Structures are given as C-alpha cells and as structure tokens.
Amino acid sequence: MVTRGMVITADQGRAAVEAAVLAPSIHNSQPWRWRLREDALELSADLARAVPVVDPDHRQLVVSCGAALLNAWLTLRDAGLDVVVDELPDGTDILTGRLATLRVMGRRPPTEDEAALTAAITRRHTERRPFDPADLPAELTRVLRRAAEAEGCWLVALVNPDARVELSVLLARADWIETHDPAYQAELREWSRTDPNAPDGIPRSAVVGSGQPRQSEFPLRELDVVGEAGQRLRQLEVEHPGVLVLGTDADSVADRLRAGRALGRVLLTATAAGLATSPLGQAIDIEATRGLVRDTTGGSGAAQMILRVGYPDASAPALPATPRRPLSEVLDTAG
C-alpha cells in the first residue's frame, strides 16, 4: 500500500526539476522524464535519449538519472520538506516502470550539509582543463568517501603507484578502442553540438582543443570530433590528478541508481570544497576493462565511475553553463 504524502506544489515541483536537470549525464543526453502528481514527483528514464553504442545496457543512463534524483531531493529538502524516496516502485524494468518517486511526508529543516550541497548544484560543472598541480589533501579524500558511503556506495582513491599505472594503461587501451570504433565515433558526432543554442549534447565550450599534446598521467576522453574546440589548452605541467573510483557491491538496476545518487553527492561535496572534477569514463564504458578497473581498487563489486579530482586552475576563465533542455520538455504537470 502506497502512503499518500502532502501536496507538492507546482512551484516546488518545478524548482526540484530545474535542479535535477543540472545533473551530469553521458554526452549531456539528459535521459530523464519527470511527472508531477498532486502528492508525488515521479522520475522515469527517457530511453529515446539513450546512447546505445557507449552505453548498451543503459547503466550510465540509470546512473545519470540517480544523480538527477539526488538534486531533486536536495532541493525539496532545502525548502524544509521531509521527503521520502521510493526507488523502482514498479520493478526493475526501466522501459515500462518508474525509477523513483519522491513524496513529501511533512516538514523538517535541512541540515547544514544538505544546504551546502544544494547551494553547490548550480556551481557544479565538468572541468576538462588541466588542474592546478596542488595535491588533493587526504582529509578531503575522506570527506568524499563518506559522501559516497552516505548513499550506500564505496569510493577508493588510487594512490598506489602500481594501481595508477595499471589504470593509466586501461584508460589508454579503452581510449584507443573507442577512437577506432566507427560506431562510437558516429554516436559521439551525433551528440556533438556546434549550435550555441542547442539545449543538449556536447557544446563546443566543453571541448578542449587537441592541437598540442596534453601532458597528463591519465588520458582524457577525446571529444573534438567535429572541430571548433571551445577551450584552449593551457598546460601548467605534467598532471597528476587525484583519481577516485566509485562503485557498488552489486550491479543491479537499484545499485546503478544508488551509484548515481552517490556520484551526485560526491560531485556536489567536491564543488562545495572548491574542487574541480571530470569523469575518466573510457575504461568504464567497455565491460572488459570495467572489470579490470575494479581490480585496481583491490576490492570486489562493480566499478561505476572513475573521477579525476583536483583544484581548478585559478587563472583559467570561467566556463559558460552547459545547456539544458527546457522544463517543458522534461516535466509533465498534467497530474
């Protein structure tokens, strides 16, 4: 029996979804649909926006939706609402069922931590440019690990030199495979945008030009497939960023949704702490290398995301916001 909650007003629902759509998603595909009912805000996957070559089993789509779910929950909590999340209320078939519902069961002021994370939602962005060479303090790594654990996931910092070399090799191998895969390259071109008014996809402002070699311990995904790079590379020195592997104990749809919430919380926690982040996704895209990424952590379970973390280059200009689809395309308020 589903317990009815308090009425969620139209303004509260819109504010929650406005924050939700700011979550990261693979190729900025924004693969979510929201529906506002009188007593619930419902999240479903939009499989019409799937990226089947890079994400054939929709794992990254579900992770993206989990990050959006966290943003919506935080925004309702910031309004002083006590929010209950019911995940996969219709079962695990994401083609036909909802991923989650949010219901307001009463009023409760947000915690300081929740308020800080909510404030970071509009500031969070993916930073592909070189980081400042300053090391990531161990205490901040522990804070990020606790953020993942708060959502039932694990987070491991790769500090062992052998593990970092192993990951670098895996990333280079996966990067080579994707670069030489015509289907992957075609899909990447399909989601690359040269129109500055495009509401989705990879904008030119997110693409770092590849006209000169990048000196980094770990290769980044090559996005410059249609030209017109919007960022110029300013190399400070050879990069040795912090690297974090986020994972779950199992790999079900529920685990992937949980991983998305954890990813969102880790990214917002990093933003609130003044850190910059970007994914190192190539080795997670390919199932064979994904299993080997887990092995670099020395643990079990399933690796769900690799993050590059560090301090941003203070001299670099601010980036424009990555475009998002209008609310009218992602939110149904018909009730």
Side-chain angles (χ1 to χ4, degrees), residues 174-197:
D175 197 58
W176 188 93
I177 291 172
E178 292 185 337
T179 299
H180 292 82
D181 181 351
Y184 170 82
Q185 292 296 309
E187 185 174 77
L188 185 58
R189 282 192 296 273
E190 180 184 347
W191 284 96
S192 296
R193 303 288 184 257
T194 56
D195 180 357
N197 298 314

Side-chain angles (χ1 to χ4, degrees), residues 28-181:
N28 191 29
S29 54
Q30 304 171 49
W32 38 65
R33 291 184 289 109
W34 294 86
R35 184 177 184 183
L36 179 61
R37 293 181 176 270
E38 184 180 67
D39 68 333
L41 184 61
E42 302 175 341
L43 168 63
S44 299
D46 187 349
L47 295 179
R49 306 186 68 78
V51 284
V53 176
V54 73
D55 187 31
D57 62 352
H58 306 311
R59 182 189 66 81
Q60 297 188 65
L61 182 150
V62 173
V63 170
S64 299
C65 287
L69 176 63
L70 180 82
N71 281 9
W73 179 83
L74 282 170
T75 301
L76 292 173
R77 287 288 299 119
D78 197 56
L81 304 175
D82 190 5
V83 186
V84 173
V85 179
D86 183 14
E87 295 187 346
L88 302 172
D90 308 313
T92 59
D93 186 350
I94 67 172
L95 183 64
T96 59
R98 296 164 294 177
L99 290 175
T101 62
L102 297 97
R103 284 187 167 82
V104 176
M105 308 308 296
R107 296 194 175 276
R108 179 167 60 90
T111 65
E112 289 186 12
D113 181 60
E114 289 166 350
L117 295 182
T118 305
I121 289 174
T122 56
R123 304 198 314 270
R124 186 214 63 81
H125 67 278
T126 298
E127 179 57 85
R128 294 182 175 87
R129 296 173 296 186
F131 291 159
D132 184 274
D135 291 334
L136 187 66
E139 176 54 34
L140 276 182
T141 300
R142 287 191 287 270
V143 169
L144 297 175
R145 185 178 69 245
R146 288 194 292 269
E149 291 171 348
E151 299 293 346
C153 297
W154 49 262
L155 188 77
V156 175
L158 291 191
V159 294
N160 179 279
D162 290 340
R164 289 174 70 92
V165 169
E166 186 176 349
L167 178 62
S168 180
V169 171
L170 290 175
L171 285 166
R173 174 60 178 165
D175 197 58
W176 188 93
I177 291 172
E178 292 185 337
T179 299
H180 292 82
D181 181 351

Side-chain angles (χ1 to χ4, degrees), residues 59 154-158 163-164 166-167 170-171 243-251 280 283-306:
R59 182 189 66 81
W154 49 262
L155 188 77
V156 175
L158 291 191
R164 289 174 70 92
E166 186 176 349
L167 178 62
L170 290 175
L171 285 166
V243 173
L244 309 174
V245 179
L246 171 70
T248 49
D249 291 336
D251 199 25
L280 293 170
I284 294 290
D285 296 344
I286 301 167
E287 200 58 35
T289 53
R290 183 180 171 218
L292 295 173
V293 168
R294 179 204 59 210
D295 293 344
T296 66
T297 68
S300 59
Q304 301 289 353
M305 182 61 68
I306 310 169

